[in-house]
Amino acid sequence: MFFRRSKQDTAKPRAIEPEEAAKAESEPLKLDSITPEPVTDVTVAAEAEKAPAKANGTPSGSDNAPMEPKIHVDPKALGFETTADLEPEGDLIGQERALEALAFGAGMKGPGYNMLVVGPAGSGRHTAARTKLEATASKTGAPPDWVYVSSFDSIGRYRALKFPSGTAKSFAEGMARAIDRLKEALPAAFGAEDYELRRRTIEEEFRFSRADALEALRRQVEPQNIAVLSTPAGIAVAPILEGKVVSTAVFNSVPEQLRNGIEAKIAAVETEIEAILARTPDSEKMLSEGLMVLNEQVAGRQVSAALEEVKCEFEDISGVKNYLKAAARDLVRNAGLFVSEAGKVDEGPRVPINTTGDPRFARYRVHVMAARGVNSAAPIVQESNPTYANLFGRIECGGGAESHEPQVVRIRPGALHRANGGYMFLDARALLAQTAVMDALLRALSECEIRFDPPAEPFGVSAGEVPDLEPIALDVKFAVFGEAADHRQLAKQWPDLPRLFKVEARFDDTIDRSQEAVAAYARLIAGIVTRHSLKPVDCGAVAVLIDEASRRAGGNGKLSLEVGEMADLCREADHWAGSAGRAVTSIADIERALEQRNERAADARGSVV
Amino acid sequence: MIAHVAAAGEGRGRVVLWLGSSARTSSAAIDAAMLVAHAYDSEVESLFVEDQQLFEFASLPFARIISSDEEGWRALPSVDLEREIHLVGAALQRQIATTAREASVTYRSRVVRDDPMRALARACSETGPWNVVTIAEPFGAWKEDRLRDLFSSVHGTTGIVITGPMASRIQGPIIVVVEEIERLSPMLKAAERINEATGGPVKLLLVGDRQDELAWLEGEARLLFSDGEETPFEVVLVERGDTAAVAETLRRHRAGFVLAQYGGLTVPAEGSLRPLACALECPLLIVR
């Protein structure tokens, strides 16, 4: 019996990876490696011809002279007809050490036990890591929520508040509702007649205090024939006689001594008037203070009422009570923001201002950085583009119409915030392309905090004006995926890396081709079929796939563990089986898939050249 | 009384809006003048009096003034005084003309240089049979005894409208303060006339300083209303000289216009009107 050669073997040689070439060079070719042990090595051409027919009843698909696949595995020896007869294997085989390392890294508490996941693409490292970590994450429980809120200080700092899992959004919504409530309540309060009356009373008290003093002075000096007069230009002091101002002629007719005496009296009264007017600045200060107290009373009542709901619900959470106090003080101080400026009291009712989108009101926004569901597990976040903004978040600034200073409009979370309390997957090659970000990331890992310190200023903010965000405690387990060369490069550029990444999960790209391994591989293929909802694969096709795996591993007693490639082959063969109307994927379909792949690879090489 | 004259169909009355020597005016006073004129289908004449005494004073060699904005005293030559008074007067009259136009009230303006009381007395005697003098300056800016001078010197005035510093509205209930039963009917009629212009309800406030007299007044008022629609009324007992209770009642009702008699408990001929005037948020028409 002769094996049907696959066209791939005769037409175009498979491209040999450098590592394989190096391996091949180092290991002399052994005859017994061509026929891997301990698989039953039976070459039966008739059976090979029958195998595809048995599987699907039709000859293999090529119109050319049929190529005998070089099957080193006896399909019959596999012990099943199709993969439907098998118990599907998980995503991996032969990666026990790597899986053990992942389990260890996932379970180790404390900093420094981040993971380097080394292995070729397609080795199933991502899937394996996710599966392992999901199991741990589900037992960990939901991490806390985090928000940023303004500290309302002059520096413009933002405080980080930690909330029980699943409550931060509710707090943010509660604050937003309170601000919305004030949009109506404050204009109404300051437009109310009661407020107007009290305000005018205070103003008149100020006016009266001066008027009273002048009136008292007037009454005092009138018996002395001195009058205090009001003119359009101000206050004057004049001599009077029988209640009437003395005319010039009459005044000049009076003896000089008397005239001098009258002028002296007038001068004294003028001095008193000056003193009364000089007290005005203090009165103005008192007026201003009185109005401020009134405004604070009026605004304070409304602000307290608006914040009551959120206070009752959240004041037991650390930091919230102080935040609400500071917010209330700030709201009272800035109550005028809520009232339209175009609409003074005398001109009509005040109208509420549109706060939506107005940067001046952004100071009251609660920026949710991490919010979980109440019963969610620890998060697993994959960031494929690890820029600074994507990892650490970004700040959006906007300027008020009358302000030249940028206002923080929104603080957006990064992947670190989303992953906090859980796990993050990063790609080594992507990190190598972001040197500054990697520095920041390692700092974050060393200090166990997410500190916003971007290498470039946020848009709209000049140097030195980056808002100060309180660092948030970082509790993330990292897994950096890459091939060996990428990890070597990382370690070379960042010598500190091993201190922070103590766990290495190395995914092999091959496994020894044992009987057990072959059987496991068959189950692996069954698992691929199940996961991708493919047609069952017959034992002949499985044998071809195993052989292909062997060939990819260099054919020297190994099987390739590039599960991704296997999965792609299965899917493509499934497609061809479907095209041919077959219910079971056969050797012909695998063959065709391989053939098509080789043609695509050749085309790609040709186009590159 | 306005009501008596109006009932007789005589429409030759006038509202004299007295603009004083200060630039400070009450917009509520100006609105009140327009309201009364509109209610009685009469005209408003603004009378800007250039106080003769000020010019006498300006001619004195040591005449000087001080304002709250400036530091120290400055000389006040007659020509400067004249110019400043003229500017103030012109600005005020422009403001009033605009208000009259908006209120569809016939408006005239006059500038005289004279003693204020004499100028008012002359203005009120020229046209009759009734004149209501509205003082544009809010109470407090002028001497308190000016009201007594007005009633005693200006015989042609039927009533005087004043506004306090808190006055800001003319819309709202018209409240008639009655202290003598004889005045109830005519004052109520006057209020109803004004009510036609404002559209607000009319309310009655019976005021007395003795409980038995107040009770009798109340009984008489009920008898008066027994034939027809009753005007809502309230009873307030005050101590002589203490108008705080009246002021509080008026404030509570958010009065838009108040009518009261001169020389009674509410508006005494002697004593200070200041507590009431300063608490009022609306104009007060004091009828002789």
Side-chain angles (χ1 to χ4, degrees):
Chain A
M1 176 178 289
F2 297 96
F3 284 118
R4 190 189 294 272
R5 282 182 186 277
S6 70
K7 286 186 183 173
Q8 174 186 342
D9 288 338
T10 55
K12 299 170 180 79
R14 182 178 72 88
I16 297 183
E17 301 296 323
E19 286 183 344
E20 287 181 41
K23 205 185 272 186
E25 282 179 10
S26 63
E27 294 176 23
L29 186 62
K30 295 178 186 169
L31 285 176
D32 54 356
S33 70
I34 298 173
T35 54
E37 55 177 52
V39 175
T40 305
D41 184 16
V42 176
T43 57
V44 179
E47 286 184 0
E49 283 178 357
K50 279 182 198 168
K54 205 191 272 187
N56 49 37
T58 58
S60 63
S62 171
D63 289 334
N64 298 332
M67 302 287 288
E68 297 272 344
K70 187 175 180 183
I71 304 176
H72 292 148
V73 175
D74 177 8
K76 276 193 178 168
L78 291 173
F80 59 88
E81 291 291 325
T82 73
T83 53
D85 302 330
L86 295 174
E87 189 67 35
E89 185 74 40
D91 297 321
L92 293 176
I93 55 170
Q95 304 285 14
E96 286 76 23
R97 277 195 315 169
L99 294 175
E100 201 177 296
L102 283 173
F104 170 72
M108 270 302 288
K109 304 236 182 281
Y113 288 91
N114 298 291
M115 296 167 276
L116 293 174
V117 183
V118 186
S123 58
R125 60 196 181 180
H126 273 96
T127 310
R130 185 172 282 274
T131 305
K132 219 43 160 185
L133 295 180
E134 272 174 0
T136 312
S138 64
K139 294 173 201 161
T140 305
D145 291 354
W146 285 92
V147 305
Y148 272 121
V149 292
S150 174
S151 62
F152 300 111
D153 60 14
S154 55
I155 304 173
R157 283 180 293 202
Y158 279 77
R159 287 201 52 209
L161 296 180
K162 188 162 85 171
F163 280 77
S165 179
T167 60
K169 267 192 181 162
S170 182
F171 176 72
E173 285 160 7
M175 279 300 294
R177 275 198 300 276
I179 301 301
D180 275 346
R181 215 168 280 152
L182 287 172
K183 278 188 323 189
E184 303 284 341
L186 281 173
F190 282 99
E193 284 201 43
D194 181 53
Y195 168 77
E196 288 308 322
L197 182 62
R198 289 171 70 188
R199 186 176 65 84
R200 285 206 307 280
T201 303
I202 292 170
E203 287 173 350
E204 284 305 320
E205 274 175 21
F206 155 69
R207 268 197 272 275
F208 265 130
S209 65
R210 188 173 56 184
D212 285 351
L214 288 172
E215 179 64 17
L217 178 64
R218 187 190 66 78
R219 287 182 190 276
Q220 182 190 338
V221 301
E222 206 169 85
Q224 300 170 41
N225 293 325
I226 302 289
V228 176
L229 304 175
S230 279
T231 78
I235 302 165
V237 182
I240 55 173
L241 190 62
E242 295 175 351
K244 305 284 182 199
V245 173
V246 170
S247 67
T248 309
V250 169
F251 186 77
N252 288 338
S253 68
V254 162
E256 185 180 343
Q257 194 177 357
L258 191 55
R259 280 206 306 275
N260 291 341
I262 292 171
E263 286 191 48
K265 270 191 208 172
I266 288 174
V269 173
E270 285 175 349
T271 303
E272 289 224 35
I273 291 173
E274 259 188 271
I276 290 171
L277 295 181
R279 286 202 294 270
T280 301
D282 288 336
S283 298
E284 283 177 353
K285 184 184 167 196
M286 284 167 59
L287 166 67
S288 166
E289 285 173 0
L291 286 176
M292 195 161 63
V293 167
L294 171 65
N295 289 343
E296 285 178 359
Q297 278 173 4
V298 171
R301 267 199 298 273
Q302 300 301 326
V303 167
S304 284
L307 293 177
E308 186 60 25
E309 186 188 320
V310 75
K311 182 182 167 201
C312 287
E313 198 176 338
F314 295 100
E315 68 172 339
D316 291 335
I317 295 173
S318 172
V320 170
K321 198 170 179 179
N322 286 342
Y323 165 69
L324 288 176
K325 273 188 190 164
R329 274 197 301 271
D330 195 82
L331 281 164
V332 167
R333 205 163 35 232
N334 292 292
L337 285 178
F338 288 82
V339 177
S340 169
E341 291 170 351
K344 297 188 186 302
V345 174
D346 295 336
E347 294 168 8
R350 293 173 187 264
V351 295
I353 198 166
N354 182 14
T355 62
T356 307
D358 192 328
R360 294 175 298 167
F361 296 91
R363 63 200 285 116
Y364 305 113
R365 181 174 288 145
V366 175
H367 306 271
V368 178
M369 304 306 285
R372 323 288 175 191
V374 176
N375 297 317
S376 64
I380 301 176
V381 172
Q382 178 159 353
E383 181 52 62
S384 54
N385 182 20
T387 61
Y388 190 91
N390 285 349
L391 283 178
F392 288 84
R394 57 168 62 86
I395 293 178
E396 293 170 8
C397 293
E402 298 161 4
S403 165
H404 299 293
E405 291 181 9
Q407 306 282 337
V408 173
V409 173
R410 202 179 305 273
I411 303 174
R412 293 198 185 272
L416 288 177
H417 299 99
R418 291 195 298 276
N420 211 1
Y423 307 90
M424 176 174 282
F425 289 4
L426 294 168
D427 181 71
R429 198 166 289 184
L431 287 174
L432 283 167
Q434 303 271 357
T435 314
V437 175
M438 187 62 180
D439 286 338
L441 190 60
L442 292 180
R443 260 198 309 278
L445 281 169
S446 287
E447 292 162 16
C448 297
E449 63 182 21
I450 308 171
R451 178 182 292 274
F452 187 77
D453 186 14
E457 289 80 28
F459 178 75
V461 179
S462 58
E465 289 181 335
V466 175
D468 187 357
L469 306 186
E470 184 182 5
I472 290 178
L474 178 66
D475 176 24
V476 175
K477 192 68 65 80
F478 286 84
V480 176
F481 295 79
E483 299 192 7
D486 297 327
H487 282 290
R488 278 196 296 276
Q489 189 61 27
L490 275 177
K492 186 177 170 189
Q493 261 186 265
W494 288 279
D496 265 356
L497 200 71
R499 181 175 62 81
L500 296 166
F501 286 78
K502 292 185 171 69
V503 178
E504 185 179 283
R506 188 169 285 273
F507 281 73
D508 295 322
D509 54 359
T510 61
I511 187 176
D512 287 337
R513 183 175 171 159
S514 64
Q515 193 169 7
E516 201 175 89
V518 167
Y521 216 96
R523 290 197 298 276
L524 182 73
I525 294 169
I528 291 171
V529 165
T530 303
R531 256 191 319 284
H532 294 279
S533 303
L534 306 177
K535 298 176 196 47
V537 180
D538 68 21
C539 55
V542 171
V544 171
L545 284 169
I546 293 173
D547 187 52
E548 175 62 17
S550 176
R551 194 190 59 76
R552 284 173 183 266
N556 45 358
K558 301 282 186 185
L559 288 175
S560 167
L561 289 178
E562 291 177 8
V563 178
E565 291 285 333
M566 278 300 131
D568 288 343
L569 262 179
C570 290
R571 286 161 57 202
E572 288 163 24
D574 180 84
H575 166 74
W576 297 121
S579 300
R582 285 191 273 275
V584 176
T585 303
S586 67
I587 292 176
D589 302 314
I590 301 291
E591 189 179 278
R592 188 158 179 200
L594 285 168
E595 180 186 324
Q596 294 283 330
R597 285 201 144 213
N598 289 333
E599 283 177 8
R600 288 200 300 272
D603 289 344
R605 279 195 299 275
S607 61
V608 167
V609 169
Chain B
M1 287 294 299
I2 292 180
H4 166 74
V5 170
E10 178 58 70
R12 295 289 304 279
R14 191 177 49 158
V15 176
V16 176
L17 182 58
W18 176 26
L19 305 174
S21 56
S22 162
R24 193 160 167 242
T25 57
S26 164
S27 56
I30 297 171
D31 290 339
M34 299 301 157
L35 176 64
V36 173
H38 189 78
Y40 286 90
D41 198 23
S42 63
E43 66 176 22
V44 167
E45 179 179 359
S46 72
L47 182 67
F48 185 80
V49 182
E50 296 177 350
D51 194 340
Q52 179 64 45
Q53 290 202 97
L54 293 180
F55 291 93
E56 297 280 2
F57 164 72
S59 65
L60 289 168
F62 49 83
R64 44 184 180 262
I65 59 165
I66 187 170
S67 72
S68 57
D69 303 338
E70 296 167 2
E71 294 177 5
W73 296 83
R74 62 178 174 92
L76 183 65
S78 298
V79 70
D80 289 351
L81 175 67
E82 188 148 358
R83 186 182 62 246
E84 291 193 28
I85 286 179
H86 174 74
L87 286 171
V88 166
L92 284 174
Q93 284 170 335
R94 268 198 305 276
Q95 178 190 350
I96 295 161
T98 303
T99 308
R101 206 164 36 246
E102 288 168 1
S104 303
V105 168
T106 306
Y107 169 68
R108 289 197 295 150
S109 66
R110 202 198 305 197
V111 179
V112 297
R113 184 174 298 188
D114 199 351
D115 173 75
M117 289 299 120
R118 193 161 53 224
L120 274 171
R122 196 168 285 162
C124 289
S125 66
E126 285 172 0
T127 320
W130 60 265
N131 293 278
V132 168
V133 173
T134 302
I135 304 176
E137 279 184 87
F139 187 92
W142 41 277
K143 293 183 295 182
E144 203 164 333
D145 50 8
R146 192 168 284 184
L147 195 66
R148 281 196 291 278
D149 291 343
L150 266 170
F151 276 110
S152 63
S153 308
V154 183
H155 300 291
T157 180
T158 314
I160 296 172
V161 176
I162 67 167
T163 50
M166 297 287 118
S168 62
R169 63 168 179 260
I170 58 169
Q171 296 298 326
I174 298 171
I175 298 187
V176 183
V177 180
V178 172
E179 300 173 29
E180 298 166 2
I181 194 60
E182 298 80 22
R183 289 185 180 265
L184 190 153
S185 192
M187 287 179 72
L188 201 56
K189 281 190 180 150
E192 285 165 354
R193 190 71 185 257
I194 295 172
N195 172 49
E196 286 172 16
T198 64
V202 175
K203 296 184 180 178
L204 201 56
L205 188 62
L206 302 178
V207 174
D209 60 349
R210 281 173 52 178
Q211 190 62 53
D212 55 344
E213 283 184 7
L214 254 184
W216 179 83
L217 193 60
E218 184 182 346
E220 291 299 306
R222 288 191 189 284
L223 277 173
L224 203 65
F225 294 134
S226 62
D227 294 338
E229 199 178 317
E230 182 175 319
T231 297
F233 63 88
E234 198 167 318
V235 175
V236 177
L237 182 68
V238 299
E239 283 191 22
R240 201 163 276 275
D242 179 11
T243 54
V246 175
E248 174 54 30
T249 306
L250 294 173
R251 192 198 65 78
R252 183 162 42 82
H253 284 278
R254 293 181 179 271
F257 209 93
V258 176
L259 284 79
Q261 72 189 65
Y262 180 67
L265 291 166
T266 309
V267 184
E270 301 292 332
S272 178
L273 183 58
R274 187 175 157 176
L276 177 65
C278 292
L280 273 182
E281 299 168 26
C282 65
L284 169 65
L285 169 57
I286 307 170
V287 295
R288 196 186 281 278

PDB file of all heavy atoms in Angstrom, chain A residues 257-271:
ATOM      1  N   GLN A 257     -17.604 139.411  61.414  1.00  0.00           N
ATOM      2  CA  GLN A 257     -17.372 138.434  62.471  1.00  0.00           C
ATOM      3  C   GLN A 257     -18.455 137.361  62.444  1.00  0.00           C
ATOM      4  O   GLN A 257     -18.184 136.172  62.607  1.00  0.00           O
ATOM      5  CB  GLN A 257     -17.380 139.152  63.826  1.00  0.00           C
ATOM      6  CG  GLN A 257     -16.826 138.291  64.955  1.00  0.00           C
ATOM      7  CD  GLN A 257     -16.781 139.040  66.257  1.00  0.00           C
ATOM      8  OE1 GLN A 257     -17.103 140.243  66.343  1.00  0.00           O
ATOM      9  NE2 GLN A 257     -16.407 138.378  67.310  1.00  0.00           N
ATOM     10  N   LEU A 258     -19.653 137.841  62.215  1.00  0.00           N
ATOM     11  CA  LEU A 258     -20.761 136.891  62.158  1.00  0.00           C
ATOM     12  C   LEU A 258     -20.628 135.996  60.930  1.00  0.00           C
ATOM     13  O   LEU A 258     -20.875 134.793  60.981  1.00  0.00           O
ATOM     14  CB  LEU A 258     -22.086 137.663  62.121  1.00  0.00           C
ATOM     15  CG  LEU A 258     -23.351 136.825  62.320  1.00  0.00           C
ATOM     16  CD1 LEU A 258     -23.283 136.030  63.624  1.00  0.00           C
ATOM     17  CD2 LEU A 258     -24.591 137.712  62.308  1.00  0.00           C
ATOM     18  N   ARG A 259     -20.193 136.622  59.833  1.00  0.00           N
ATOM     19  CA  ARG A 259     -20.011 135.839  58.602  1.00  0.00           C
ATOM     20  C   ARG A 259     -18.983 134.750  58.844  1.00  0.00           C
ATOM     21  O   ARG A 259     -19.174 133.590  58.476  1.00  0.00           O
ATOM     22  CB  ARG A 259     -19.537 136.750  57.448  1.00  0.00           C
ATOM     23  CG  ARG A 259     -20.629 137.549  56.781  1.00  0.00           C
ATOM     24  CD  ARG A 259     -20.235 137.881  55.349  1.00  0.00           C
ATOM     25  NE  ARG A 259     -18.951 138.545  55.238  1.00  0.00           N
ATOM     26  CZ  ARG A 259     -18.768 139.861  55.359  1.00  0.00           C
ATOM     27  NH1 ARG A 259     -19.784 140.671  55.582  1.00  0.00           N
ATOM     28  NH2 ARG A 259     -17.557 140.400  55.224  1.00  0.00           N
ATOM     29  N   ASN A 260     -17.889 135.159  59.515  1.00  0.00           N
ATOM     30  CA  ASN A 260     -16.839 134.175  59.775  1.00  0.00           C
ATOM     31  C   ASN A 260     -17.349 133.044  60.663  1.00  0.00           C
ATOM     32  O   ASN A 260     -17.021 131.867  60.466  1.00  0.00           O
ATOM     33  CB  ASN A 260     -15.616 134.830  60.432  1.00  0.00           C
ATOM     34  CG  ASN A 260     -14.897 135.754  59.479  1.00  0.00           C
ATOM     35  OD1 ASN A 260     -15.061 135.671  58.261  1.00  0.00           O
ATOM     36  ND2 ASN A 260     -14.116 136.680  60.022  1.00  0.00           N
ATOM     37  N   GLY A 261     -18.169 133.446  61.614  1.00  0.00           N
ATOM     38  CA  GLY A 261     -18.721 132.425  62.498  1.00  0.00           C
ATOM     39  C   GLY A 261     -19.599 131.446  61.751  1.00  0.00           C
ATOM     40  O   GLY A 261     -19.560 130.228  61.969  1.00  0.00           O
ATOM     41  N   ILE A 262     -20.398 131.995  60.830  1.00  0.00           N
ATOM     42  CA  ILE A 262     -21.282 131.122  60.044  1.00  0.00           C
ATOM     43  C   ILE A 262     -20.447 130.200  59.171  1.00  0.00           C
ATOM     44  O   ILE A 262     -20.716 128.984  59.072  1.00  0.00           O
ATOM     45  CB  ILE A 262     -22.243 131.968  59.158  1.00  0.00           C
ATOM     46  CG1 ILE A 262     -23.242 132.708  60.059  1.00  0.00           C
ATOM     47  CG2 ILE A 262     -22.987 131.067  58.175  1.00  0.00           C
ATOM     48  CD1 ILE A 262     -24.085 133.731  59.319  1.00  0.00           C
ATOM     49  N   GLU A 263     -19.430 130.746  58.564  1.00  0.00           N
ATOM     50  CA  GLU A 263     -18.594 129.912  57.694  1.00  0.00           C
ATOM     51  C   GLU A 263     -17.884 128.839  58.503  1.00  0.00           C
ATOM     52  O   GLU A 263     -17.713 127.710  58.043  1.00  0.00           O
ATOM     53  CB  GLU A 263     -17.572 130.784  56.948  1.00  0.00           C
ATOM     54  CG  GLU A 263     -18.203 131.597  55.837  1.00  0.00           C
ATOM     55  CD  GLU A 263     -17.154 132.248  54.939  1.00  0.00           C
ATOM     56  OE1 GLU A 263     -16.221 131.538  54.523  1.00  0.00           O
ATOM     57  OE2 GLU A 263     -17.280 133.446  54.641  1.00  0.00           O
ATOM     58  N   ALA A 264     -17.492 129.196  59.713  1.00  0.00           N
ATOM     59  CA  ALA A 264     -16.835 128.187  60.560  1.00  0.00           C
ATOM     60  C   ALA A 264     -17.799 127.066  60.901  1.00  0.00           C
ATOM     61  O   ALA A 264     -17.446 125.875  60.897  1.00  0.00           O
ATOM     62  CB  ALA A 264     -16.296 128.840  61.824  1.00  0.00           C
ATOM     63  N   LYS A 265     -19.036 127.437  61.209  1.00  0.00           N
ATOM     64  CA  LYS A 265     -20.044 126.409  61.518  1.00  0.00           C
ATOM     65  C   LYS A 265     -20.266 125.506  60.304  1.00  0.00           C
ATOM     66  O   LYS A 265     -20.370 124.275  60.418  1.00  0.00           O
ATOM     67  CB  LYS A 265     -21.378 127.084  61.863  1.00  0.00           C
ATOM     68  CG  LYS A 265     -21.574 127.412  63.318  1.00  0.00           C
ATOM     69  CD  LYS A 265     -23.029 127.804  63.536  1.00  0.00           C
ATOM     70  CE  LYS A 265     -23.128 128.745  64.698  1.00  0.00           C
ATOM     71  NZ  LYS A 265     -24.471 129.307  64.866  1.00  0.00           N
ATOM     72  N   ILE A 266     -20.358 126.149  59.157  1.00  0.00           N
ATOM     73  CA  ILE A 266     -20.575 125.392  57.921  1.00  0.00           C
ATOM     74  C   ILE A 266     -19.419 124.432  57.705  1.00  0.00           C
ATOM     75  O   ILE A 266     -19.609 123.259  57.355  1.00  0.00           O
ATOM     76  CB  ILE A 266     -20.765 126.338  56.716  1.00  0.00           C
ATOM     77  CG1 ILE A 266     -22.136 127.019  56.814  1.00  0.00           C
ATOM     78  CG2 ILE A 266     -20.633 125.576  55.402  1.00  0.00           C
ATOM     79  CD1 ILE A 266     -22.391 128.078  55.762  1.00  0.00           C
ATOM     80  N   ALA A 267     -18.211 124.941  57.939  1.00  0.00           N
ATOM     81  CA  ALA A 267     -17.035 124.078  57.760  1.00  0.00           C
ATOM     82  C   ALA A 267     -17.089 122.889  58.704  1.00  0.00           C
ATOM     83  O   ALA A 267     -16.753 121.755  58.331  1.00  0.00           O
ATOM     84  CB  ALA A 267     -15.754 124.882  57.993  1.00  0.00           C
ATOM     85  N   ALA A 268     -17.551 123.108  59.923  1.00  0.00           N
ATOM     86  CA  ALA A 268     -17.656 122.009  60.891  1.00  0.00           C
ATOM     87  C   ALA A 268     -18.675 120.984  60.442  1.00  0.00           C
ATOM     88  O   ALA A 268     -18.462 119.764  60.546  1.00  0.00           O
ATOM     89  CB  ALA A 268     -18.021 122.569  62.266  1.00  0.00           C
ATOM     90  N   VAL A 269     -19.810 121.479  59.944  1.00  0.00           N
ATOM     91  CA  VAL A 269     -20.843 120.562  59.462  1.00  0.00           C
ATOM     92  C   VAL A 269     -20.323 119.790  58.247  1.00  0.00           C
ATOM     93  O   VAL A 269     -20.565 118.581  58.107  1.00  0.00           O
ATOM     94  CB  VAL A 269     -22.140 121.320  59.101  1.00  0.00           C
ATOM     95  CG1 VAL A 269     -23.136 120.367  58.452  1.00  0.00           C
ATOM     96  CG2 VAL A 269     -22.752 121.930  60.356  1.00  0.00           C
ATOM     97  N   GLU A 270     -19.607 120.460  57.400  1.00  0.00           N
ATOM     98  CA  GLU A 270     -19.031 119.778  56.228  1.00  0.00           C
ATOM     99  C   GLU A 270     -18.080 118.666  56.680  1.00  0.00           C
ATOM    100  O   GLU A 270     -18.037 117.584  56.083  1.00  0.00           O
ATOM    101  CB  GLU A 270     -18.306 120.785  55.337  1.00  0.00           C
ATOM    102  CG  GLU A 270     -19.244 121.674  54.530  1.00  0.00           C
ATOM    103  CD  GLU A 270     -18.497 122.741  53.738  1.00  0.00           C
ATOM    104  OE1 GLU A 270     -17.281 122.922  53.974  1.00  0.00           O
ATOM    105  OE2 GLU A 270     -19.132 123.380  52.880  1.00  0.00           O
ATOM    106  N   THR A 271     -17.329 118.936  57.728  1.00  0.00           N
ATOM    107  CA  THR A 271     -16.415 117.900  58.243  1.00  0.00           C
ATOM    108  C   THR A 271     -17.197 116.694  58.723  1.00  0.00           C
ATOM    109  O   THR A 271     -16.814 115.544  58.485  1.00  0.00           O
ATOM    110  CB  THR A 271     -15.564 118.465  59.389  1.00  0.00           C
ATOM    111  OG1 THR A 271     -14.846 119.613  58.927  1.00  0.00           O
ATOM    112  CG2 THR A 271     -14.593 117.433  59.910  1.00  0.00           C
TER     113      THR A 271
END
